[in-house]
Amino acid sequence: MYKLVINGGTPLKGSIKTSGSKNATLPIFFSSILADEPLKLSNTPQLSDVSTTLRLLMDMGSNFVLEEDGSIFIDSSALTNLTAEYSLVKTMRASILTLGPMLAKYKKAKISLPGGCAIGTRPVNLHLDALEKMGATIEVKNGYIYASTKGLVGAQINFDLISVTATENIVMAASLAKGITTINNAAQEPEVTDLIRCLKKMGAKISGENTSTLVIEGVDILSGVEYAICPDRIEAGTYLVAAAITGGKITVNNIEPDAMRAVIGKLIETGADIQTNQNSIKLDMKGKRPYPVNIRTSAYPNFPTDMQAQFMALNSIAEGSSTITETIFENRFMHVPELSRMGANLKLEGNTVVCKGVKSLSGANLMATDLRASASLVLAGLAAQGSTTIERVYHLDRGYEMIEEKFKMLGADIERVQH
């Protein structure tokens, strides 16, 4: 087991490069199940969730090779095992994304109900109801989804709620289904668009990307491609908030600013000076204490739930009061008691946290509870006076590649220690 030890109070300065997006990499890996040929994927991040996905695909019969240039050559064209076992999916909710591709390609699947961060219920009923409309027979028993079909057919899918993974699952399933599938109230996140672009390069016929209505005309086969994963906007946002909370000045490279308009807007409200170009963002806090910002999470293009915890850390030391309202997940405030232990003045009222900024936080011993909560504790530790220790950092390794090394490049006093 490892922990992070942070000696805070140093403004971050310098430049870093973001990794490829975790939330785009996983569905694109699973899309390899649909192809009759291998995929070569570049800009893939080295994360525990990525490793778990590769182990799951290998268990199902995929082969992969890590190329010298860092890209991954993955061949899932002939699976021999159509079961996603609990032992491999218990830490990762994205495993549900094997369901659509396996039904479309092999007409059969057995998938453990997924695990992942304990940030609230993320029901799979949207996935299952849509696949049933497309001709699947589905039974859930003993913790597994048993699904089969004589052949998926196009259907009109109207999601009651916006769901990234449900949108991705049905887009993949529809790519090889007979006929036309229309998805209404589809998720518009950049990671969904990245999957669509990869599928289109493979030969899928999909229209409506970047909108809430997707139309997919099924094809008979999908081919292998070379494809570069999009940059991780949440990782970039985390480092930008880290600079803002410490009064620093950084440049984040390998990022698409257009995908981060909501986050950039809130950072400008904190008093940060921000400049963007085609693939980089510069933030200069000029040593100032941030102004508080009110946050309400919502589906893209609005403010992302995956950045809520990081902004709560920032609001904790902001010059004034603010509110943060979480509308996506009902249990995504587990960082509140940990930040409070550092001296933050936070009051939980239903799905809203009222933040009254304090002048400074104090270092403390903390426990990470989920991926983005872990990031917020790191940011708080970077801004705090004294030493902060964060345990259970394996949560961080699910979504941040070499986080302590990147922070060191920006001048942070941070170490990973075995205990």
Side-chain angles (χ1 to χ4, degrees):
M1 297 287 285
Y2 289 90
K3 61 184 178 181
L4 289 179
V5 179
I6 305 167
N7 291 305
T10 302
L12 300 185
K13 294 180 180 179
S15 65
I16 56 165
K17 178 183 176 183
T18 62
S19 302
S21 167
K22 173 186 89 92
N23 290 339
T25 298
L26 304 189
I28 289 175
F29 273 13
F30 289 127
S31 77
S32 67
I33 296 170
L34 297 165
D36 285 354
E37 299 169 334
L39 275 60
K40 182 179 179 180
L41 303 172
S42 57
N43 201 36
T44 55
Q46 296 181 32
L47 304 168
S48 60
D49 271 12
V50 172
S51 299
T52 300
T53 298
L54 289 173
R55 287 199 302 272
L56 172 58
L57 287 169
M58 286 177 65
D59 187 64
M60 296 165 68
S62 298
N63 296 297
F64 80 93
V65 176
L66 182 61
E67 305 274 283
E68 286 186 8
D69 62 1
S71 60
I72 291 179
F73 185 87
I74 182 167
D75 185 354
S76 305
S77 60
L79 299 187
T80 54
N81 171 27
L82 302 181
T83 300
E85 297 288 357
Y86 173 73
S87 59
L88 287 169
V89 308
K90 62 184 178 182
T91 63
M92 188 183 65
R93 292 181 184 267
S95 56
I96 189 67
L97 293 175
T98 57
L99 181 57
M102 282 202 291
L103 274 176
K105 182 84 174 283
Y106 296 98
K107 299 180 172 57
K108 186 179 178 182
K110 176 187 173 185
I111 298 172
S112 171
L113 290 169
C117 284
I119 57 175
T121 58
R122 288 191 260 190
V124 299
N125 62 294
L126 292 175
H127 306 246
L128 306 187
D129 292 347
L131 289 167
E132 285 180 332
K133 286 182 180 177
M134 298 174 70
T137 300
I138 295 174
E139 184 180 9
V140 180
K141 62 179 182 179
N142 302 323
Y144 279 84
I145 300 166
Y146 294 81
S148 62
T149 181
K150 293 180 180 179
L152 295 179
V153 293
Q156 187 88 8
I157 306 300
N158 301 307
F159 286 133
D160 293 333
L161 302 171
I162 297 175
S163 168
V164 170
T165 53
T167 299
E168 291 168 339
N169 227 343
I170 303 311
V171 166
M172 288 191 283
S175 294
L176 288 182
K178 296 293 183 184
I180 295 175
T181 299
T182 301
I183 303 174
N184 294 309
N185 204 26
Q188 301 175 56
E189 272 71 3
E191 297 78 19
V192 175
T193 298
D194 211 40
L195 170 64
I196 290 171
R197 289 174 178 169
C198 183
L199 288 169
K200 288 171 73 170
K201 200 171 181 183
M202 292 161 65
K205 294 183 178 179
I206 306 169
S207 61
E209 65 182 75
N210 296 317
T211 76
S212 61
T213 301
L214 298 172
V215 179
I216 307 102
E217 182 181 348
V219 298
D220 292 332
I221 59 170
L222 293 176
S223 305
V225 293
E226 292 187 16
Y227 191 79
I229 305 293
C230 70
D232 196 315
R233 63 192 173 104
I234 303 304
E235 182 197 20
T238 300
Y239 288 113
L240 291 168
V241 175
I245 199 174
T246 61
K249 178 182 180 180
I250 71 166
T251 300
V252 177
N253 297 307
N254 185 40
I255 189 60
E256 298 170 1
D258 279 353
M260 298 184 60
R261 287 192 293 267
V263 169
I264 290 172
K266 288 299 177 183
L267 284 167
I268 292 172
E269 284 184 37
T270 70
D273 178 45
I274 291 186
Q275 299 177 28
T276 65
N277 65 26
Q278 189 173 356
N279 57 11
S280 73
I281 302 173
K282 294 181 179 180
L283 180 146
D284 188 354
M285 206 65 192
K286 299 180 180 178
K288 297 180 298 183
R289 185 179 170 192
Y291 298 122
V293 292
N294 295 322
I295 300 289
R296 183 180 181 87
T297 64
S298 186
Y300 188 87
N302 299 310
F303 191 89
T305 180
D306 279 355
M307 285 299 303
Q308 174 255 105
Q310 297 91 313
F311 270 83
M312 189 176 298
L314 183 145
N315 277 345
S316 295
I317 59 127
E319 202 168 347
S321 298
S322 58
T323 59
I324 294 180
T325 301
E326 173 61 53
T327 72
I328 307 296
F329 299 119
E330 75 278 5
N331 194 28
R332 204 164 200 177
F333 284 139
M334 291 185 287
H335 41 287
V336 169
E338 297 299 301
L339 290 171
S340 298
R341 297 183 69 244
M342 303 178 74
N345 186 344
L346 306 172
K347 185 179 180 183
L348 181 57
E349 297 177 354
N351 67 335
T352 296
V353 172
V354 178
C355 314
K356 293 184 179 179
V358 297
K359 211 162 191 181
S360 65
L361 299 174
S362 301
N365 293 326
L366 307 172
M367 188 76 73
T369 54
D370 64 71
L371 172 55
R372 305 307 173 185
S374 306
S376 76
L377 302 185
V378 173
L379 302 194
L382 292 170
Q385 300 300 312
S387 179
T388 296
T389 300
I390 304 172
E391 301 198 30
R392 301 200 335 195
V393 295
Y394 56 83
H395 288 292
L396 279 169
D397 297 333
R398 293 185 52 227
Y400 293 93
E401 184 176 39
M402 300 185 299
I403 190 168
E404 70 273 16
E405 299 302 323
K406 289 187 177 181
F407 274 127
K408 282 181 184 179
M409 291 172 62
L410 298 174
D413 184 348
I414 180 172
E415 294 288 343
R416 182 177 294 238
V417 178
Q418 192 165 14
H419 68 104

